Amino acid sequence: MPLLPSRVASANDPTSPFPLNNLPYGVFSTRSAAPRCGVALGDKVVDLHALEGSGLLNAGAGKPVFDKPSLNAFMGLGKPYWARVRSRLQALLAEGETRVLPNAALVPLKNVRMHMPFKVAEYTDFYAGRNHAFNVGSMFRGPENALPPNWLHIPIGYNGRASTVVVSGTDIHRPLGQMKPHGSETNIFGPCRRLDIELEMGAVVGTGNPMGKPVTVSEADEMIFGYVLLNDWSARDIQAWEYQPLGPFQAKAFATSISPWVVTRAALEPFRCSTPEREHELLPYLREPKPMLYDIDLSVRMRPEGAASATTLSRTNYKEMYYSAAQQLCHHAIGGCAMRTGDLLGSGTISGPTKEERGSLLELSWGGKEPITLDTGETRSFLEDGDEMTLEGHASGDGYRIGFGDCVGKILPAPAERNWG
Amino acid sequence: MPLLPSRVASANDPTSPFPLNNLPYGVFSTRSAAPRCGVALGDKVVDLHALEGSGLLNAGAGKPVFDKPSLNAFMGLGKPYWARVRSRLQALLAEGETRVLPNAALVPLKNVRMHMPFKVAEYTDFYAGRNHAFNVGSMFRGPENALPPNWLHIPIGYNGRASTVVVSGTDIHRPLGQMKPHGSETNIFGPCRRLDIELEMGAVVGTGNPMGKPVTVSEADEMIFGYVLLNDWSARDIQAWEYQPLGPFQAKAFATSISPWVVTRAALEPFRCSTPEREHELLPYLREPKPMLYDIDLSVRMRPEGAASATTLSRTNYKEMYYSAAQQLCHHAIGGCAMRTGDLLGSGTISGPTKEERGSLLELSWGGKEPITLDTGETRSFLEDGDEMTLEGHASGDGYRIGFGDCVGKILPAPAERNWG
């Protein structure tokens, strides 16, 4: 599919992340407009509430859905409604279209503040990138025992914390916590010393399933509204001490950042690709009837406090995952777990096979043994206060890109210690 | 403190779980009344919405809070409001009080249907009972290595699934899932064969903390609105295959049952007791300035399909926990995790030191090696379809009890298998 030309000229630039082919959804406000739903188009945000108010757009729910400070009402309507709105917007915003848009309908992106695009019902994080699992497993158990016995059979996941999922641009406090540093006889309390990122994609559940009613992989795919970039901030020293036997807890609970824009499944359709060849055939319930991964280029940049520019630390691709989000969602519901509008599923860290494709500092610095040199000449094993991390991602079409908007977060010092007693 | 006599005579029976000293909160409906908030008193439910409407009760929020189908609005107001309403209700409902109550204010318990008392924001489950951790650890790693190295230093917990927390009386489908039975070469898919319960208490968070702002143990204690009985249904075979390295996931996601009534911290105040003596002193942030556990007798009953009566399988006490809910909540927020109104914290399985005090079938049947004989003559290692499990709990005061209402759930067959391909 080629570029769809838009009446918004900036959307026709082949390097724009937001052509008419994309139309990612987000929640924005301006000095005069309370948070509401919009789509990005070139250097503009299309105010869907304004279009709805003018009668040009009708999601079909019988009442407004875009006046709200979250996408949940619209997402909950389901696929036929998503398709109708997309088709209507692509017509209204096409090049040569002359219907008059309300004055307030096109807002310059530089004038808006982005908010969390949806209310996160629950957040689940997976561990479904084989290179990442192999790298981390090798560091801790040696390459022979790197993958746990279940790894090639189950998309391994754990429940994360929804209350601290934040939108790009939100600063992140270094967490306090309990840890037992390497070589130390005793456990201690204090600020995390091995603070890390994880480069992930997040799948956003649009429509759910009732408790006790599992879904197939195909049904799961249809339940997904769209995808975001996701940074699963991680406190490696807290994690190492706490994670046995029940998994990561406070090491992951302090923050998860997502991109401001949710790119729809419809926009990503041309970029579907297959999961890698299976070493063991999956059980029937997990087999994909068609390609359900996506070819999306991803990168990680770090900018230390005060530096003029950022250093690119890693470049990889979402297609490195061993399991797709549809497989993860199917597995998530297979025991009868109810999934709901607004559930967020992190893919797991995305690392390619080479060193330059690793999606976490833990892997890039090999557990701190091989510090990374930045363009500024500084070195890093883990994050320092003031470091700003940016995830970027886009799919590349024929003369256009499908982008997510950067996912940015900067590290602030740990909260002051208190008199805990 | 002695029994507080009530104008509702049935509340003065010393065996009633619901005297005026208790006043636990729940959400109920009748044939003519939509779900709304109430408190249990003797054999009645006091309709708080009716009291609010008549002007006899004012929570102080400037608008009604008890007309809603959840306690969240009231819980979010905080401790001074909770205290004001409790004191007002104890005055209005005291013996000898003559203010006329609206006709609809007292509804027979036998005529109401109970609903989820609050909207669960997020659900976290802990592993903070030492006897349980020792028993389970002994089965899997031998008694020498039963407790993980961190166990005596951290209240170990993991994020659970909020979407499947259900109120007592909700039937539970046996989950489907992936497992690798003992001795099998390959993993298989099918209905869980080792279905279990876990006897727990749940702490309900009334007021939260912002992201990046940890709280002390004392502050955490004040954030807790009340407690429920909690049955953390568990699929042991699914758990054994999936839980490495990131913890329980689908083995716990299919259902968690809670009692219909939330017993407030105020009602439990006379029953505070200390956590057991520490083997290792805790880090300062986890130390309790005063007793924060409670002396609550607990029991587990099983009634097989068609049996006239239930067999009591276990009797234990909440004071067996090594960590209090206040310590768990403090630890949960210590890295900066935001806690919110409606968060539910499971205590972890409560087992006493003797066999008769074990809070799970896994422990009672020692991994299935020592089946339990029921009063009917049948035996059980794990749950069979049709089994009905009941948790009961109460604190014993001077001539009165503080009860929670039974927490009941019955096992239905697994969902029919589908053509997954």
Side-chain angles (χ1 to χ4, degrees):
Chain A
M1 179 188 291
L3 173 79
L4 300 174
S6 171
R7 65 197 288 180
V8 174
S10 56
N12 302 328
D13 177 336
T15 67
S16 168
F18 307 130
L20 189 57
N21 307 56
N22 192 350
L23 298 179
Y25 289 87
V27 168
F28 74 98
S29 64
T30 66
R31 233 176 287 179
S32 57
R36 79 265 315 270
C37 304
V39 295
L41 182 63
D43 59 3
K44 300 285 191 293
V45 180
V46 182
D47 183 334
L48 298 179
H49 178 40
L51 290 188
E52 210 170 32
S54 71
L56 284 169
L57 183 68
N58 177 356
K63 55 187 177 189
V65 294
F66 295 121
D67 56 334
K68 298 170 175 58
S70 86
L71 292 166
N72 295 55
F74 175 55
M75 296 197 306
L77 294 176
K79 193 183 170 188
Y81 295 82
W82 309 337
R84 180 186 317 175
V85 168
R86 179 173 174 83
S87 152
R88 176 71 176 172
L89 288 173
Q90 287 194 328
L92 271 179
L93 299 164
E95 190 174 59
E97 169 61 43
T98 55
R99 272 171 289 191
V100 178
L101 302 178
N103 273 338
L106 295 175
V107 186
L109 255 176
K110 64 177 167 38
N111 293 350
V112 307
R113 182 177 157 207
M114 298 305 297
H115 302 264
M116 269 296 290
F118 58 98
K119 188 175 175 329
V120 180
E122 297 190 63
Y123 166 48
T124 306
D125 194 31
F126 285 85
Y127 183 63
R130 183 165 184 173
N131 297 307
H132 171 71
F134 181 80
N135 288 340
V136 173
S138 295
M139 271 182 252
F140 291 113
R141 295 179 293 273
E144 314 72 36
N145 302 307
L147 290 187
N150 52 20
W151 200 93
L152 294 168
H153 304 283
I154 299 184
I156 295 291
Y158 66 98
N159 301 296
R161 184 76 194 174
S163 65
T164 50
V165 179
V166 294
V167 71
S168 173
T170 307
D171 294 336
I172 308 299
H173 278 281
R174 178 181 298 274
L176 295 170
Q178 199 180 131
M179 59 206 89
K180 190 172 178 185
H182 193 67
S184 166
E185 285 292 303
T186 55
N187 51 319
I188 61 167
F189 176 77
C192 165
R193 301 165 185 189
R194 290 164 73 93
L195 187 56
D196 201 356
I197 59 142
E198 291 192 334
L199 167 64
E200 302 193 18
M201 298 287 302
V204 184
V205 174
T207 53
N209 63 287
M211 182 171 165
K213 300 276 186 199
V215 297
T216 66
V217 172
S218 291
E219 288 164 348
D221 191 49
E222 299 283 298
M223 289 159 64
I224 295 171
F225 175 73
Y227 290 82
V228 291
L229 300 175
L230 187 149
N231 184 348
D232 180 35
W233 304 93
S234 299
R236 300 297 179 195
D237 39 9
I238 295 171
Q239 187 175 355
W241 175 231
E242 77 175 359
Y243 93 107
Q244 286 290 6
L246 299 186
F249 185 47
Q250 290 314 292
K252 303 277 194 168
F254 59 99
T256 303
S257 299
I258 63 170
S259 59
W261 298 104
V262 184
V263 174
T264 63
R265 201 154 41 81
L268 291 172
E269 203 57 38
F271 309 101
R272 277 189 187 265
C273 61
S274 292
T275 44
E277 209 181 325
R278 302 284 125 185
E279 189 164 322
H280 294 288
E281 193 171 32
L282 292 173
L283 287 167
Y285 82 96
L286 280 174
R287 290 180 202 157
E288 287 179 326
K290 65 172 185 177
M292 291 182 176
L293 258 187
Y294 298 95
D295 181 350
I296 300 171
D297 287 315
L298 301 164
S299 69
V300 179
R301 300 196 302 271
M302 175 187 280
R303 190 170 69 83
E305 182 94 72
S309 66
T311 303
T312 297
L313 301 184
S314 178
R315 289 183 194 281
T316 183
N317 192 294
Y318 183 42
K319 69 184 175 193
E320 294 290 345
M321 303 312 294
Y322 197 75
Y323 295 97
S324 68
Q327 287 173 313
Q328 293 171 336
L329 180 52
C330 166
H331 181 70
H332 206 323
I334 200 65
C337 180
M339 305 301 297
R340 299 181 293 188
T341 299
D343 280 339
L344 173 64
L345 275 57
S347 59
T349 307
I350 306 165
S351 292
T354 71
K355 182 166 180 177
E356 295 69 30
E357 296 169 283
R358 294 175 185 163
S360 68
L361 296 176
L362 180 69
E363 295 166 86
L364 285 163
S365 74
W366 208 252
K369 290 183 184 148
E370 304 169 13
I372 308 149
T373 302
L374 306 181
D375 295 351
T376 58
E378 295 171 79
T379 60
R380 284 289 184 285
S381 289
F382 294 98
L383 295 169
E384 297 194 1
D385 291 350
D387 286 349
E388 183 186 82
M389 301 302 294
T390 300
L391 312 185
E392 192 271 344
H394 64 268
S396 295
D398 177 13
Y400 71 96
R401 286 179 166 192
I402 299 289
F404 294 79
D406 288 350
C407 177
V408 186
K410 182 177 168 176
I411 301 302
L412 300 183
E417 293 207 30
R418 302 172 55 184
N419 181 0
W420 300 103
Chain B
M1 178 188 291
L3 173 80
L4 300 175
S6 170
R7 65 197 286 181
V8 174
S10 57
N12 303 329
D13 177 337
T15 68
S16 169
F18 308 129
L20 190 58
N21 307 56
N22 192 349
L23 298 179
Y25 289 88
V27 169
F28 74 98
S29 64
T30 66
R31 232 177 287 180
S32 58
R36 79 266 316 270
C37 304
V39 294
L41 182 63
D43 59 2
K44 299 285 191 294
V45 181
V46 182
D47 183 335
L48 298 180
H49 178 39
L51 290 188
E52 210 170 32
S54 72
L56 283 170
L57 182 67
N58 178 357
K63 55 188 177 187
V65 295
F66 295 121
D67 55 335
K68 299 171 175 57
S70 85
L71 292 166
N72 295 57
F74 175 56
M75 296 197 306
L77 294 176
K79 193 183 169 188
Y81 295 83
W82 309 337
R84 179 185 318 174
V85 168
R86 178 173 175 83
S87 152
R88 176 71 176 172
L89 287 173
Q90 288 193 330
L92 271 179
L93 299 164
E95 190 174 60
E97 169 60 43
T98 55
R99 272 172 289 192
V100 178
L101 302 178
N103 272 338
L106 295 175
V107 185
L109 255 176
K110 65 177 167 36
N111 293 349
V112 308
R113 181 178 157 207
M114 298 304 297
H115 302 264
M116 269 295 291
F118 59 99
K119 187 176 175 326
V120 181
E122 297 191 61
Y123 166 49
T124 307
D125 193 32
F126 285 85
Y127 183 62
R130 184 166 184 171
N131 296 308
H132 171 71
F134 182 81
N135 287 340
V136 173
S138 296
M139 270 182 253
F140 292 113
R141 295 179 293 273
E144 315 74 33
N145 303 306
L147 289 187
N150 52 20
W151 201 92
L152 294 168
H153 305 283
I154 299 184
I156 295 292
Y158 66 99
N159 301 295
R161 184 75 194 174
S163 65
T164 49
V165 179
V166 293
V167 72
S168 172
T170 307
D171 293 336
I172 309 298
H173 278 281
R174 178 182 299 274
L176 296 169
Q178 200 179 131
M179 59 205 90
K180 190 173 178 184
H182 193 68
S184 166
E185 286 290 303
T186 56
N187 51 318
I188 62 166
F189 176 77
C192 165
R193 301 165 184 187
R194 290 163 73 92
L195 188 57
D196 201 356
I197 59 141
E198 290 193 333
L199 168 64
E200 302 193 19
M201 298 287 301
V204 183
V205 174
T207 53
N209 64 288
M211 182 171 165
K213 302 276 184 198
V215 298
T216 65
V217 172
S218 290
E219 287 164 349
D221 190 48
E222 299 283 299
M223 289 160 64
I224 295 171
F225 175 73
Y227 290 81
V228 291
L229 301 176
L230 187 150
N231 184 349
D232 180 35
W233 303 93
S234 300
R236 300 297 179 195
D237 38 9
I238 297 171
Q239 186 175 357
W241 175 231
E242 77 175 0
Y243 93 107
Q244 285 292 7
L246 299 185
F249 185 46
Q250 289 314 292
K252 303 278 195 167
F254 59 99
T256 304
S257 299
I258 63 171
S259 60
W261 299 104
V262 184
V263 174
T264 63
R265 202 154 40 82
L268 291 172
E269 202 57 36
F271 309 100
R272 278 189 188 264
C273 61
S274 293
T275 45
E277 209 180 326
R278 303 284 126 186
E279 189 162 324
H280 294 288
E281 192 171 33
L282 292 173
L283 286 168
Y285 82 96
L286 280 174
R287 290 181 202 155
E288 287 179 325
K290 65 171 185 179
M292 291 184 175
L293 259 188
Y294 298 95
D295 181 350
I296 300 171
D297 287 316
L298 300 164
S299 69
V300 178
R301 300 196 301 272
M302 175 187 280
R303 189 171 68 85
E305 182 93 72
S309 66
T311 303
T312 298
L313 302 184
S314 179
R315 290 183 193 281
T316 182
N317 193 295
Y318 183 42
K319 70 184 175 192
E320 294 290 346
M321 303 311 295
Y322 197 75
Y323 295 97
S324 68
Q327 287 174 312
Q328 293 172 335
L329 181 52
C330 166
H331 181 72
H332 207 323
I334 199 67
C337 180
M339 304 302 297
R340 298 180 294 189
T341 300
D343 281 339
L344 173 64
L345 275 57
S347 59
T349 307
I350 306 165
S351 292
T354 71
K355 180 165 181 178
E356 295 69 31
E357 294 169 284
R358 296 174 184 164
S360 68
L361 296 176
L362 180 70
E363 295 165 86
L364 285 162
S365 74
W366 207 253
K369 289 181 186 150
E370 303 168 15
I372 309 149
T373 303
L374 307 181
D375 294 351
T376 57
E378 296 172 79
T379 60
R380 284 288 184 284
S381 290
F382 294 98
L383 296 169
E384 298 194 1
D385 291 349
D387 285 350
E388 184 186 81
M389 301 301 295
T390 300
L391 312 186
E392 192 270 346
H394 64 268
S396 295
D398 176 13
Y400 70 96
R401 286 179 164 190
I402 300 289
F404 294 78
D406 288 350
C407 177
V408 186
K410 181 177 168 176
I411 301 302
L412 300 183
E417 294 208 30
R418 301 173 56 184
N419 179 1
W420 299 103

